[in-house]
């Protein structure tokens, strides 16, 4: 762990000033990811700008459009147990509860969850090469230990996944990330927030170093009737997803009016394919339609050895998740039996 | 009425309060004036040499006292034997910072010592090491070609017995045959408490050392030998150990580094390892088992062959008892067992809870399940049919063996008779239900141990021996035994352990501590009792005047006539009468050599497991485990139950989760943190029902105890794997059984 200085600005403008002063500075919120990475010498920030006391970022509020605005400092626990979210966006609450442990969720913030970094073993081990940690050093996960790695949207430079559960639900719900920077505020649609690795695996998102996340906005449609978050992992709790599926449906009789499907654990970002979702529209809510959607979503999926199983697993998980959503029997995050 | 004894009753831990309030001090928590802090720099390659270490930047950090490397470390003992600790296997023990040679990935290459731990950690990240890499091998599947029979046996580890009968011929002729290969992945020790040492510089060349160790005398001996110190000058004090189960048997490298730095700097030094450094030593060796069973059509075993290959390092032949169990658990006339090692560029493996047994027993008990399947016989019936009445490896009777009762009681509790035989025949909702069973076996041993008992005129009793309590409940059972000796409440007893200045005790391992330390404490208490009784008889007007020790009882702080408990004399009164302020005796308890020659002694268990599998998704739940344990006398059903539950949960981890993943190109373990190295969490653990089977054993130890720290893990993985087969029809022979293996199509045999 390196030496760093610490600042705790009193307001947003102060936070932006602090971060702009030093290109090596980083925001710190719950610290559940950043501090670990600092201990492993993966992140070596010269200055920590503590955002936890910034006013106005810790509330969940109604938006004019009829959605909800979740402040960047709202804890994962607060999201999971908020009555409005539970009623209108149960998919989100479920995904949050599927992640980490109660202690971590208490500390973890909304902004930090979006920006948590991959769990790739090599990324965490500064004694090994890694393009994401040290651009140009190589990607030992390709041909190495890659059981937890991506099967979609990879590049020859990186096959890491984004590990968040919450973000998979946010992707399915088409949330919008609100950010503030030196040039003012901007809104980033969720699908454009996380990147694919391409030639620059060191960049996880489209956020700039000197920008801060202020909130995540949920549009009015929450798919409260027909949704599920299905997470498959190596133990029944407290493990990152090997594959997860956030499924949200709007049904019209026995037919699908609208569908959203986002996959976790399979790519550098929550994986969506609007064509696959569009193709479901008008189809009967039954296995055959779900199978077609799975085929489309996983077209081009490629294993790297240890993670070959994820292709088959993702397919099965999509089928199950869509049938859970269609039946209105979402996966419970406390009873570990899969519905 | 005589009071009910403490021994045999469920008593809460006497150290429980100290532990939950933080009053109990662990190795890294002892304060010392002027304490300096060391942080270890870990190496990056698996084999080769260090060509340069640049410590300039680290040394320049204010607060850094010294950066030790192989280039500047102080001299230590030259000969290998000086570095060999009590439980070292044959070979050349690893010497930290010895020279430029790299023997395994993660090896310590420097120690940064600074005024505070933050500075040390920061400076450690500035040390630059250049290597010249050599060709390495960490893949057991390749190295198995060069496996060899270890030329020198490890002390305390029995090599496989000589073959009996003709297993090859009997196998060839057997109407039923099972032949398969079973593998268990590398597993790393991950006790809650990371390994740590605090060396207190007492001045005048004297050191007090707080080490995470399962035997303070082992650390003391190691330090004295390596650094040429005398035992008078080195005291090791480790009253509490935050879990160890084998990782703390051998002194680990942080002990060496902390003592080295303290001696060089002439001040107190603490070295605490990080969680990722916990993956740079102390692992259960990856092991490959080949098992062949031959049986008659009715399931009677005709032949057993079991050959295992365990991984070891290039510098030590770490050995465990892996295959011997296969010649022991069942009656069979034709048995051939073999055990080999294969060298890898890794650190030497270490003992991990029941070293060897869960590996070999997983293979044997899986194979027995396969045989039951082939023979169309219920797996429990198959085991009863082939029940071994004697130890056929050694041709000896058992001191006791109630495994038959364990099978019966376990089966009743579990409801085994309701099992439908065919795989895939039980289902509830979406889930396939599977029931499996396995046997467990572990050595019952006693080791020579000394203890002291001191009774003082204030009615307090202190008992002391150098042994350790790694969380198993040693403090508590010793307090129970001592309290019973005098009819005192447990609160009147102080137990002191974990201090090298106390009477001699072996390391806490092998499940022998309760039997050994317990017998020693009882012997010392009995010696005190004799002296006390003499005083009591001599007291004026003593009602015990004509009695002898066999005719009195110690009840409620009094010595009374057994036949007439109203007549007696108080302990304190007796001491006063004898003019004694304190009565102190030290005694040594030793195993009975004649019994050891004549008898074999083992603990046994029968484990029943229920799993539920969502086959489409590979999601598995272990919904019930019943384990019936026959382990002689149970001193404290409460702490004993905890021990067995802990073993069962660990067995679940072995079956389903634990695996240190190696990148063989880098020669490095990669999932070195607790987020990616999985052990069971609460959600994974459902009902665990522990049954203690009545078992009288007067030959293993004077107090009837056979020990049960380890038996809980043995066989658990096999019971779960067998239940998975019953649920799904899939026989998975590679542990851990992860989701991807459950999804694989039926048992396409591994091609290798
Ligand atoms: C053992 C373990 C298991 C876990 N399991 C799961 C799991 O199963 N599923 C899951 O989804 N997650 C899991 N997590 C991850 C956890 O959810 C994240 O660590 C957490 O959400 C991060 O939030 P934080 O507030 O602590 O972020 P921090 O660690 O404080 O920050 C993370 C990053 O976000 C940046 N940042 C924080 N806030 C802002 C802001 N407002 N604007 C701009 N940048 C910001 C920081 O600079 C930093 O780069 C696990 C974590 C651990 C340690
Ligand atoms: S997959 Fe990405 S994060 Fe992992 S080693 Fe390769 S480049 Fe680094």
């Amino acid at each position: 762990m390196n030496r760093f200085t610490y600042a705790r600005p009193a307001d947003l403008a102060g936070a932006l000033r602090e971060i702009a002063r030093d290109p090596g500075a980083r925001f710190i919120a719950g610290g559940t990811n950043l501090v670990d990475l600092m201990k492993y010498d993966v992140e070596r920030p010269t200055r920590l700008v503590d955002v936890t006391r910034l006013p106005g970022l810790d509330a969940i509020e109604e938006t004019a459009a009829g959605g909800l605005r979740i402040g960047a400092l709202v804890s994962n626990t607060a999201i999971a147990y908020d009555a409005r979210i539970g009623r209108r966006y149960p998919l989100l609450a479920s995904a949050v509860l599927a992640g980490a442990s109660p202690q971590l969720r208490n500390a973890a913030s909304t902004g930090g969850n979006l920006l948590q970094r991959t769990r790739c073993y090599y990324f965490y081990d500064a004694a090994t090469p890694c393009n994401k940690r040290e651009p140009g050093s190589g990607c030992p996960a390709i041909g190495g230990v890659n059981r937890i790695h991506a099967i979609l949207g990879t590049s020859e430079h990186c096959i890491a996944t984004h590990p968040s559960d919450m973000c998979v639900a946010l992707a399915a719900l088409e949330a919008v990330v609100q950010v503030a920077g030196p040039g003012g505020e901007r809104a980033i649609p969720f699908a454009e927030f996380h990147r694919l690795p391409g030639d620059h695996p060191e960049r996880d998102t489209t956020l700039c170093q000197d920008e801060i996340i202020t909130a995540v906005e949920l549009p009015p449609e929450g798919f409260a009737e027909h949704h599920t978050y299905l997470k498959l992992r190596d133990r029944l709790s407290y493990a990152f997803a090997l594959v997860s599926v956030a499924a949200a449906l709007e049904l019209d009789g026995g037919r699908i009016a609208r569908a959203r499907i986002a996959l976790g654990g399979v790519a550098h970002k929550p994986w969506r394919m609007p064509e696959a979702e569009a193709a479901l529209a008008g189809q009967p809510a039954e296995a055959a339609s779900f199978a077609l959607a799975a085929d489309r979503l996983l077209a081009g999926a490629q294993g790297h050895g240890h993670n070959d199983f994820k292709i088959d697993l993702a397919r099965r998980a999509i089928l199950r998740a869509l049938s859970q959503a269609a039946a209105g029997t979402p996966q419970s995050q406390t009873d570990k039996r899969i519905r | 009425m005589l009071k009910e004894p403490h021994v045999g009753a469920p008593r809460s831990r006497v150290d429980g309060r100290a532990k939950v309030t933080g009053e109990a001090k662990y190795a890294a928590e002892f304060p010392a004036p002027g304490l300096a802090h060391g942080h270890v720099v870990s190496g990056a390659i698996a084999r080769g040499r260090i060509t340069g270490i640049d410590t300039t930047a680290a040394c320049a950090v204010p607060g850094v006292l010294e950066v030790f490397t192989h280039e500047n470390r102080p001299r230590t003992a030259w000969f290998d034997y000086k570095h060999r600790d009590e439980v070292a296997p044959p070979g050349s023990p690893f010497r930290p910072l010895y020279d430029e040679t790299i023997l395994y990935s993660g090896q310590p290459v420097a120690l940064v010592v600074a005024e505070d731990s933050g500075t040390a950690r920061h400076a450690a990240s500035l040390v630059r090491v250049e290597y010249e890499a050599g060709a390495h091998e960490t893949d057991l599947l390749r190295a198995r070609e060069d496996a060899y029979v270890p030329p020198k046996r490890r002390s305390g580890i029995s090599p496989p017995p000589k073959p009996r009968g003709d297993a090859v011929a009997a196998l060839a002729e057997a109407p039923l045959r099972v032949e398969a290969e079973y593998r268990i992945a590398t597993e790393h020790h991950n006790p809650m408490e990371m390994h740590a040492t605090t060396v207190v510089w007492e001045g005048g060349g004297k050191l007090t050392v707080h080490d995470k160790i399962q035997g303070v005398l082992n650390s003391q001996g190691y330090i004295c030998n390596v650094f040429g110190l005398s035992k008078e000058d080195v005291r090791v004090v480790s009253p509490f150990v935050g879990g160890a189960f084998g990782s703390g048997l051998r002194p680990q490298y942080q002990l060496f580094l902390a003592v080295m730095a303290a001696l060089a700097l002439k001040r107190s030094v603490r070295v605490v390892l990080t969680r990722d450094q916990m993956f740079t030593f102390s692992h259960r060796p990856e092991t490959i088992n080949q098992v062949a069973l031959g049986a008659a059509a009715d399931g009677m075993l005709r032949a057993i062959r079991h050959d295992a290959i365990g991984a070891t390092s290039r510098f030590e032949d770490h050995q465990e008892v892996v295959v011997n169990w296969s010649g022991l658990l069942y009656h069979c006339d034709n048995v051939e067992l073999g055990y080999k090692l294969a060298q890898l560029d890794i650190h030497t493996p270490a003992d991990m809870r029941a070293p060897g047994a869960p590996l070999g027993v997983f293979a044997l008990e899986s194979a027995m399940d396969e045989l039951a399947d082939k023979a169309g016989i219920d797996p429990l019936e198959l085991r009863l049919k082939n029940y071994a009445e004697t130890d056929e490896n050694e041709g000896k009777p058992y001191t006791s063996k109630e495994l038959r009762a364990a099978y019966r009681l376990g089966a009743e509790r579990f409801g085994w008779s309701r099992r439908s035989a065919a795989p895939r025949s039980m289902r509830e909702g979406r889930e396939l239900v599977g029931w499996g069973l396995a046997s467990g076996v572990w050595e019952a041993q006693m080791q020579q141990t000394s203890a002291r008992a001191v009774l003082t005129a204030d009615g307090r009793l202190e008992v002391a021996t150098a042994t350790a309590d790694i969380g198993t409940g040693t403090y508590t059972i010793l307090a129970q035994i001592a309290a019973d000796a005098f009819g005192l409440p447990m609160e009147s007893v102080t137990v002191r352990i974990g201090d090298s200045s106390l009477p001699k005790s072996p390391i806490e391992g092998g499940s022998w501590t309760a039997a050994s330390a317990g017998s020693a404490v009882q012997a010392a208490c009995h010696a005190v009792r004799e002296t006390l009784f003499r005083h009591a008889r001599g007291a004026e007007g003593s009602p015990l005047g004509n009695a002898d020790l066999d005719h009195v009882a110690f009840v409620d702080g009094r010595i009374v006539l057994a036949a007439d408990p109203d007549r007696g004399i108080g302990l304190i009164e007796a001491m006063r009468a004898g003019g004694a302020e304190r009565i102190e005796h030290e005694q040594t308890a030793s195993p009975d050599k004649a019994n050891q020659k004549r008898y074999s002694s083992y603990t046994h268990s029968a484990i029943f497991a229920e799993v539920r599998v969502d086959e489409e998704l590979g999601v598995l739940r272990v919904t019930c485990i019943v384990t019936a344990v026959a382990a002689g006398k149970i001193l404290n059903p409460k702490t004993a139950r905890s021990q067995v539950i802990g073993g069962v949960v660990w067995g679940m981890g072995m079956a389903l989760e634990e695996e240190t993943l190696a990148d063989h190109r880098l020669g490095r373990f990669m999932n070195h943190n607790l987020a990616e190295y999985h052990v069971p969490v609460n959600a994974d653990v459902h009902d665990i029902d522990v049954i203690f089977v009545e078992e009288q054993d007067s030959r293993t130890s004077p107090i009837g105890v056979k020990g049960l720290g380890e038996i809980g893990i043995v066989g658990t993985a096999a019971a779960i794997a067998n239940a998975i087969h019953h649920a799904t029809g899939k026989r998975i022979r590679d542990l851990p059984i992860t989701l991807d293996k459950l999804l694989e199509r039926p048992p396409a045999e591994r091609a290798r």
Side-chain angles (χ1 to χ4, degrees):
Chain A
M1 193 188 246
N2 61 304
R3 288 271 162 99
F4 54 86
T5 56
Y6 172 85
R8 198 165 71 200
D11 56 22
L12 196 60
L16 290 172
R17 262 197 314 277
E18 288 289 350
I19 206 83
R21 272 208 336 229
D22 181 352
R26 288 277 182 285
F27 291 121
I28 181 163
T32 58
N33 190 218
L34 183 58
V35 174
D36 268 5
L37 290 166
M38 288 168 67
K39 286 185 186 165
Y40 288 117
D41 285 315
V42 176
E43 300 261 18
R44 299 177 65 85
T46 47
R47 185 167 181 75
L48 288 185
V49 181
D50 185 342
V51 298
T52 54
R53 309 291 169 92
L54 298 184
L57 299 186
D58 60 351
I60 301 175
E61 296 159 332
E62 298 288 342
T63 62
L68 284 179
R69 181 180 192 277
I70 303 169
L73 291 176
V74 172
S75 75
N76 288 185
T77 300
I79 290 182
Y81 296 112
D82 182 86
R84 289 160 295 176
I85 289 180
R87 204 167 52 245
R88 289 153 58 185
Y89 307 94
L91 171 59
L92 176 60
S94 180
V96 170
L97 280 178
S101 65
Q103 294 91 330
L104 283 159
R105 294 195 297 264
N106 288 342
S109 67
T110 302
N113 194 310
L114 263 56
L115 291 172
Q116 65 174 295
R117 310 210 63 187
T118 183
R119 307 305 291 200
C120 169
Y121 318 109
Y122 302 91
F123 177 70
Y124 261 81
D125 186 342
T128 66
C130 166
N131 285 329
K132 186 182 276 299
R133 183 169 24 79
E134 237 175 281
S137 62
C139 173
I142 298 173
V145 184
N146 52 37
R147 192 164 181 277
I148 59 174
H149 286 72
I151 51 171
L152 287 162
T154 57
S155 77
E156 59 185 310
H157 304 295
C158 179
I159 59 170
T161 62
H162 191 263
S164 170
D165 291 299
M166 185 175 95
C167 290
V168 183
L170 290 175
L173 292 170
E174 297 195 338
V176 175
V177 185
Q178 303 287 347
V179 311
E185 297 185 2
R186 64 181 179 123
I188 310 174
F190 213 81
E192 288 162 29
F193 185 77
H194 295 100
R195 301 177 62 252
L196 289 180
D199 291 340
H200 286 286
E202 73 279 11
R203 287 189 219 145
D204 293 351
T205 67
T206 52
L207 192 75
C208 300
Q209 183 266 341
D210 56 3
E211 286 181 310
I212 186 170
I213 298 175
T214 53
V216 172
E217 267 187 35
L218 298 171
E221 175 59 84
F223 299 91
E225 300 276 305
H226 293 283
H227 69 88
T228 195
Y229 187 71
L230 179 61
K231 177 177 181 181
L232 303 173
R233 49 193 142 176
D234 274 327
R235 61 184 167 195
L236 294 177
S237 173
Y238 198 33
F240 289 94
L242 291 167
V243 166
S244 70
V245 184
L249 298 175
E250 196 185 304
L251 296 187
D252 182 3
R255 292 195 178 265
I256 299 166
R258 244 167 5 126
R260 302 264 181 81
I261 311 167
L263 305 181
V266 296
H268 203 255
K269 60 188 285 187
W271 190 258
R272 275 187 68 195
M273 194 173 273
E275 309 89 86
E277 294 170 3
L280 272 176
Q283 300 299 314
E286 61 188 34
S289 324
F290 304 157
L292 276 175
D295 288 344
R296 285 208 167 87
L297 266 157
L298 295 169
Q302 203 201 335
H304 298 271
H306 298 150
N307 69 347
D308 292 348
F309 74 96
K310 279 193 178 184
I311 302 174
D312 186 30
L313 182 64
R315 195 188 149 72
R316 291 159 182 251
I318 294 166
L319 297 186
R320 183 69 68 86
L322 285 170
S323 71
Q324 288 180 341
T329 53
Q331 178 59 41
S332 158
Q333 302 301 348
T334 46
D335 178 359
K336 303 295 173 183
R337 190 187 336 233
I338 307 290
R339 292 238 166 99
Chain B
M1 268 310 294
L2 297 185
K3 269 238 184 97
E4 226 190 281
H6 298 294
V7 166
R11 293 284 185 262
S12 295
R13 282 162 197 276
V14 295
D15 50 343
R17 195 191 146 80
K19 282 185 172 168
V20 299
T21 56
E23 199 183 298
K25 278 206 169 53
Y26 294 85
E29 297 178 327
F30 286 88
L35 183 67
H37 298 258
H39 194 84
V40 176
V41 180
S42 304
I45 65 164
R47 191 173 184 178
R49 335 186 277 119
I50 300 170
T51 51
I53 293 197
D54 184 357
T55 61
T56 333
C59 289
V61 175
V64 169
L65 298 165
E66 182 64 277
V67 180
F68 293 96
T69 69
H70 66 279
E71 289 168 351
N72 67 351
R73 68 155 173 90
R75 297 271 134 242
T76 52
W78 177 256
F79 294 107
D80 264 345
Y81 78 88
K82 291 276 193 190
H83 293 257
R84 212 167 278 146
D85 65 275
E86 273 179 39
V87 278
S92 304
F94 175 68
R95 303 181 184 193
L97 311 188
Y98 183 63
D99 60 14
E100 72 281 3
T101 315
I102 294 289
L103 293 166
Y104 71 96
S105 192
Q107 165 181 333
V109 294
L111 179 77
V112 178
V113 185
E115 295 288 353
D116 64 273
S117 61
T119 302
R121 191 166 187 155
H122 164 55
S125 74
L126 303 177
V127 173
R128 291 287 160 263
V129 187
E130 302 286 330
Y131 304 95
E132 183 187 290
H136 66 259
E137 183 60 85
T138 53
D139 188 350
L140 183 62
L141 294 185
R142 285 198 295 254
R144 69 188 295 181
E145 305 305 330
D146 302 320
Y148 57 95
V149 175
K152 248 182 113 173
R153 63 171 275 234
R154 179 178 172 205
S155 154
I157 302 298
S158 318
K162 290 211 168 56
R164 57 180 187 260
D166 185 344
V168 177
L171 189 65
E173 290 162 12
L176 293 176
R177 269 198 301 271
V178 169
E179 288 177 78
E181 184 166 301
Y182 304 86
R183 284 175 30 198
I184 300 93
T186 308
E187 299 168 1
H188 271 82
H189 272 289
N190 269 295
M192 287 287 279
E193 178 199 22
M194 266 105 41
H195 276 251
T197 304
T198 303
V199 179
V200 183
W201 178 259
E202 305 279 11
K206 286 196 187 294
L207 302 179
T208 302
V209 179
H210 306 287
D211 187 29
K212 179 180 176 104
I213 193 77
Q214 288 170 250
V216 282
L217 296 173
N218 198 17
S219 294
Q220 186 197 34
Y222 172 82
I223 295 167
C224 291
N225 285 333
V226 169
F227 295 99
L229 302 173
S230 88
K231 291 202 170 167
E232 286 70 55
D233 291 338
V234 179
R235 180 171 166 207
V236 181
V237 182
S238 305
F240 294 99
V241 181
F245 270 113
S247 65
L249 289 175
R250 302 186 67 184
Q252 301 297 355
Y253 61 74
Q254 92 287 345
L255 173 68
F256 174 98
L257 295 173
V259 174
M260 173 199 74
L263 292 173
L265 300 172
K266 298 199 179 346
R267 66 186 272 193
S268 301
V269 175
R270 172 181 301 156
V271 178
V272 185
L273 299 185
T274 58
R275 182 56 70 186
D276 54 323
Q277 286 168 344
M278 292 298 293
F279 288 81
T280 62
F281 63 97
S282 257
H283 62 275
R284 197 193 282 281
E286 182 178 359
T287 301
I288 303 170
N289 293 276
Q290 283 178 315
V291 177
L293 302 179
D298 63 356
M300 292 300 292
L301 283 166
R302 295 268 176 80
I304 300 175
R305 296 192 62 184
H306 184 170
D307 292 282
I309 299 174
T312 192
S313 65
R314 297 253 182 240
F315 42 95
E316 284 174 317
D317 279 349
H318 173 82
Q319 297 158 57
E320 306 184 341
V321 177
V322 177
V323 297
N324 304 12
W325 320 104
S326 293
L328 193 78
L329 259 173
Y330 300 108
H331 166 64
C332 184
D333 293 331
N334 302 291
V335 177
E336 194 175 322
L337 309 173
Y339 176 61
K340 289 181 176 175
L341 299 177
Q343 291 189 349
L344 300 175
D345 294 294
I346 54 173
H347 197 4
T348 306
D351 293 322
M352 184 186 285
R353 208 167 194 169
L359 309 174
V361 170
F362 164 65
L364 174 69
E365 288 295 277
S366 296
M368 283 296 280
D369 207 61
E370 300 195 38
L371 180 62
D373 219 36
K374 266 204 176 152
I377 298 176
D378 178 86
L380 178 56
E381 192 189 326
L382 182 73
R383 284 165 174 88
L384 291 169
K385 225 176 195 170
N386 289 289
Y387 195 82
E389 299 291 349
T390 59
D391 171 356
E392 295 179 18
N393 277 349
E394 301 215 25
K396 291 180 188 177
Y398 288 111
T399 55
S400 60
K401 179 180 174 183
E402 295 294 345
L403 177 57
R404 214 191 293 274
Y407 286 133
R408 182 173 52 77
L409 292 168
E412 276 172 21
R413 181 78 58 88
F414 187 82
W416 182 259
S417 60
R418 295 196 306 274
R419 178 178 186 264
S420 85
R424 306 182 62 82
S425 63
M426 290 165 60
R427 188 180 275 279
E428 207 180 295
R430 265 186 204 283
E431 291 177 315
L432 289 162
V433 179
W435 288 3
L437 78 84
S439 325
V441 54
W442 182 244
E443 298 160 348
Q445 306 176 64
M446 181 193 167
Q447 302 277 336
Q448 180 172 315
T449 302
S450 304
R452 181 171 65 219
V454 185
L455 184 68
T456 42
D458 55 1
R460 289 204 60 84
L461 177 66
E462 181 186 281
V463 292
T465 172
T467 191
D469 186 339
I470 56 173
T472 48
T474 308
Y475 275 106
T476 310
I477 57 116
L478 295 183
Q480 287 173 277
I481 291 169
D484 274 355
F486 295 93
L488 289 170
M490 282 169 67
E491 299 75 54
S492 301
V493 181
T494 305
V495 178
R496 288 183 57 208
I497 58 176
D499 183 337
S500 61
S501 67
L502 299 176
K504 257 183 139 153
S505 164
I507 49 161
E508 176 173 47
S511 291
W512 61 54
T513 299
S516 312
S519 296
V521 161
Q522 188 176 69
C525 287
H526 283 180
V528 171
R529 260 183 14 172
E530 272 182 41
T531 306
L532 178 67
F533 182 62
R534 272 203 311 278
H535 294 318
R537 271 204 339 191
E540 219 182 282
S542 169
L544 309 178
N546 297 319
D548 58 34
L549 200 47
D550 293 340
H551 296 129
V552 300
F554 289 72
V555 188
D556 282 341
R558 291 168 60 75
I559 313 173
V560 299
L561 288 170
D564 184 3
D566 286 340
R567 295 182 55 208
I569 173 171
L571 301 186
I572 298 173
E573 204 183 330
M575 286 184 77
R576 284 217 191 91
E581 275 306 305
R582 54 191 276 132
I583 305 175
E584 172 174 341
H585 281 284
E586 184 171 324
Q587 289 285 309
T588 299
S590 308
D592 181 329
K593 288 264 153 45
N595 269 338
Q596 278 186 329
K597 252 207 186 107
R598 230 174 302 138
Y599 297 94
S600 281
S601 190
Y602 291 89
T603 56
H604 295 89
S605 64
I607 307 114
F608 299 79
E610 176 184 272
V611 301
R612 287 165 189 253
V613 184
D614 186 314
E615 191 179 30
E616 250 170 63
L617 300 176
V619 175
L620 182 149
R621 302 183 301 136
V622 180
T623 41
C624 174
I625 301 252
V626 172
T627 180
V629 177
K633 183 184 215 156
I634 303 305
L635 295 168
N636 182 337
K638 191 170 180 184
T639 52
R641 184 168 173 274
S642 295
Q643 279 306 292
V644 175
I645 288 176
V648 167
V649 171
W650 203 333
M652 290 173 56
M654 172 178 234
L656 306 174
E657 296 174 9
E658 287 199 52
E659 176 172 23
T660 325
L661 299 164
D663 181 319
H664 296 309
R665 294 184 309 185
L666 297 175
R668 189 169 172 89
F669 292 122
M670 290 313 305
N671 53 336
H672 41 68
N673 60 68
L674 289 181
E676 297 301 338
Y677 181 93
H678 292 147
V679 299
V681 295
N682 280 331
D684 295 317
V685 181
H686 293 247
D687 295 343
I688 300 176
D689 203 339
V690 180
I691 301 168
F692 290 115
V693 179
E694 265 304 308
E695 189 175 65
Q696 302 293 334
D697 191 308
S698 57
R699 298 193 174 98
T700 305
S701 70
I703 55 174
V705 167
K706 291 170 86 177
L708 41 67
E710 287 157 296
I711 184 71
I713 191 175
V714 188
T716 301
I720 293 171
N722 294 342
I724 290 171
H725 175 262
H726 183 235
T728 65
K730 283 180 192 161
R731 179 68 64 184
I732 300 171
R733 303 187 182 91
D734 271 3
L735 298 185
I737 302 174
T738 44
L739 177 154
D740 43 323
K741 294 178 191 166
L742 275 169
L743 285 179
E744 257 173 44
R745 313 281 166 210
E749 290 293 329
R750 267 168 187 272
R752 31 179 111 86

